[in-house]
């Protein structure tokens, strides 16, 4: 109705939640406690829960506080880990905090903080407001070519997710622009058409001026698919067979289907010393091979996912960084609907 989040949980009453008991955790009622009593911040009275997407300044009790709002901080956290950021929390339970995420998932945290749950994908320090707000200051703005109006829906539109342009200089790679010579717009690679206008880069663990997210969630597909072709590479090398990234496909029946990318088998480094210096990969086609102005080789790979349930619409896909600092890149997604 409002196209916005509520400022506090009480705003949901009475239009969206008629009954007061939805605001009171049964454990909190039994113990006569609220989450605000235990965290020493937040509204008490209306609810026993802790709501973290309000427009109130970050309170002093959290590492000294900040004039930035809780919502600004939480939205920056979502840029790093997606919709698993805790939105409504209950601290009145003895053994764990209970979290309801922005995306609707319920999970437990061992202590007062939920951030350590994600320590395998992002350094918990990067989720603190100090780090999030500092990073925000160097967030870059990119301008990308517009999607051609004739593009068919099977060439998935990544416009909302690109964070790298094709003519961008890569830090640490000298003055090279690895994708400068890559054909852009609707282009065919290894027999498949793709809409190529930019790239989605992951990898938050490698310190750099620009901070890339460890996951990009909810890439909208909304299409029947027998196979899905993915145009991929990595910014850096990794150990042989390391699990560097994963695609998680969300089917209309609620099932999730993963596609894992292992280094050296499914994906490899885009920039190599010489144009012909990298061996072929077992599970991926070489989609494109070029050279930089400095004479280095550039490669892109094409991975294929086969839908085990082709009668189910594929609603969306998540692109997730796994081990290490390879910096996985996704350039395009193309859906195969034929047999
Ligand atoms: Zn509770």
């Amino acid at each position: 109705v409002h196209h916005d989040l509520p400022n506090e949980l009480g705003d949901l009453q009475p239009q969206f939640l008629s009954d007061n008991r939805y605001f009171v955790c049964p454990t909190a009622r039994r113990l006569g406690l609220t989450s605000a009593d235990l965290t020493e911040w937040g509204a008490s009275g209306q609810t026993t829960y802790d709501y973290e997407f309000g427009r109130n300044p970050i309170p002093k009790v959290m590492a000294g506080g900040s004039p930035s709002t809780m919502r600004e901080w939480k939205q920056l956290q979502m840029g790093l880990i997606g919709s698993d950021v805790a939105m409504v929390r209950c601290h009145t339970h003895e053994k764990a905090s209970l979290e309801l995420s922005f995306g609707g998932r319920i999970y437990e945290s061992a202590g007062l903080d939920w951030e350590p749950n994600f320590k395998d994908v992002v350094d918990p320090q990067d989720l603190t407001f100090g780090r999030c707000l500092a990073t925000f200051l160097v967030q870059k703005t990119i301008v990308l070519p517009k999607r051609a109006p004739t593009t068919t829906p099977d060439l998935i539109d990544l416009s909302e997710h690109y964070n790298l342009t094709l003519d961008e200089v890569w830090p640490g790679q000298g003055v090279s622009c690895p994708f400068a010579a890559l054909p852009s717009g609707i282009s065919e690679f290894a027999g498949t058409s793709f809409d190529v206008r930019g790239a989605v880069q992951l990898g938050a663990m490698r310190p750099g001026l620009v901070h890339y997210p460890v996951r990009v969630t909810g890439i909208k597909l909304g299409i029947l698919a027998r196979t899905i072709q993915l145009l991929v590479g990595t910014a850096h090398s990794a150990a042989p067979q390391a699990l560097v990234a994963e695609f998680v496909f969300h089917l209309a029946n609620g099932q999730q289907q993963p596609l894992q990318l292992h280094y050296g088998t499914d994906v490899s480094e885009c920039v190599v010393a010489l144009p012909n210096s990298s061996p072929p990969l077992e599970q991926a086609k070489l989609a494109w091979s070029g050279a930089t102005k400095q004479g280095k080789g550039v490669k892109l790979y094409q991975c294929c996912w086969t839908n085990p349930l082709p009668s189910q619409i594929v609603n969306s896909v998540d692109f997730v960084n796994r081990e290490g600092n390879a910096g996985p890149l996704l350039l395009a997604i193309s859906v195969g609907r034929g047999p």
Side-chain angles (χ1 to χ4, degrees):
V1 171
H2 299 289
H3 300 285
D4 199 4
L5 296 168
N7 290 330
E8 48 188 278
L9 285 183
D11 292 353
L12 296 172
Q13 208 179 21
Q15 193 178 0
F16 304 100
L17 284 176
S18 56
D19 193 330
N20 225 349
R21 72 196 156 108
Y22 293 123
F23 293 106
V24 179
C25 167
T27 300
R29 186 195 293 124
R30 181 164 53 78
L31 298 175
L33 278 174
T34 67
S35 292
D37 294 335
L38 294 156
T39 58
E40 299 176 344
W41 78 278
S44 51
Q46 265 168 332
T47 175
T48 68
Y49 295 112
D50 160 16
Y51 175 67
E52 302 226 317
F53 275 71
R55 293 191 190 278
N56 51 303
I58 300 168
K60 287 217 159 33
V61 66
M62 292 183 191
S66 163
S68 296
T69 66
M70 284 296 289
R71 185 177 301 185
E72 284 167 333
W73 173 28
K74 298 293 136 181
Q75 285 172 335
L76 293 169
Q77 287 183 327
M78 286 182 64
L80 289 172
I81 64 157
S83 61
D84 282 336
V85 171
M87 176 176 251
V88 179
R89 314 187 59 201
C90 187
H91 299 293
T92 62
H93 302 265
E94 193 182 339
K95 292 206 171 112
S97 296
L98 290 183
E99 327 289 3
L100 169 64
S101 76
F102 181 95
R105 192 162 79 84
I106 293 173
Y107 59 92
E108 295 184 4
S109 306
L112 192 61
D113 295 330
W114 57 268
E115 287 86 345
N117 289 341
F118 300 93
K119 67 177 188 296
D120 59 330
V121 290
V122 61
D123 181 349
Q125 281 298 317
D126 287 346
L127 293 167
T128 60
F129 66 82
R131 192 74 69 86
C132 280
L133 294 167
T135 300
F136 183 62
L137 297 177
V138 295
Q139 200 164 48
K140 68 178 185 181
T141 304
I142 59 172
V143 179
L144 290 140
K146 282 208 165 60
R147 182 169 160 98
T150 51
T151 312
T152 51
D154 51 324
L155 308 187
I156 299 305
D157 188 357
L158 299 179
S159 302
E160 283 180 29
H161 304 285
Y162 292 128
N163 53 22
L164 200 73
T165 62
L166 296 179
D167 55 3
E168 195 162 322
V169 175
W170 286 19
Q173 303 280 359
V175 290
S176 79
C177 309
F179 298 136
L182 181 72
S184 64
I186 299 172
S187 312
E188 192 173 309
F189 300 105
T192 306
S193 288
F194 291 97
D195 176 20
V196 179
R197 289 174 292 129
V200 182
Q201 176 160 6
L202 302 180
M205 308 291 258
R206 185 175 288 261
L209 190 62
V210 176
H211 201 85
Y212 292 105
V214 289
R215 57 174 78 179
V216 170
T217 54
I219 300 172
K220 196 166 169 259
L221 302 182
I223 197 165
L224 283 169
R226 286 191 174 274
T227 57
I228 291 182
Q229 304 287 341
L230 303 141
L231 197 59
V232 294
T234 66
H236 309 283
S237 63
Q241 297 305 315
L243 173 60
V244 295
E246 191 169 17
F247 289 98
V248 182
F249 295 93
H250 297 264
L251 304 185
N253 67 356
Q255 272 195 30
Q256 297 183 13
Q257 294 283 341
L259 174 70
Q260 297 187 329
L261 301 189
H262 292 91
Y263 193 80
T265 311
D266 309 289
V267 71
S268 192
E269 197 175 7
C270 289
V271 179
V272 290
L274 294 165
N276 297 314
S277 63
S278 64
L281 305 185
E282 269 173 49
Q283 299 289 336
K285 289 184 195 170
L286 180 65
W288 182 74
S289 179
T292 68
K293 280 183 182 162
Q294 295 77 31
K296 288 186 172 180
V298 187
K299 316 261 177 194
L300 275 178
Y301 300 92
Q302 184 177 325
C303 286
C304 181
W305 175 71
T306 302
N307 187 355
L309 301 168
S311 62
Q312 293 291 323
I313 286 175
V314 185
N315 284 337
S316 66
V317 60
D318 303 333
F319 181 38
V320 184
N321 189 61
R322 290 300 183 201
E323 298 160 20
N325 297 323
L329 289 155
L330 166 66
L331 280 89
I333 302 177
S334 182
V335 174
R337 287 191 272 190

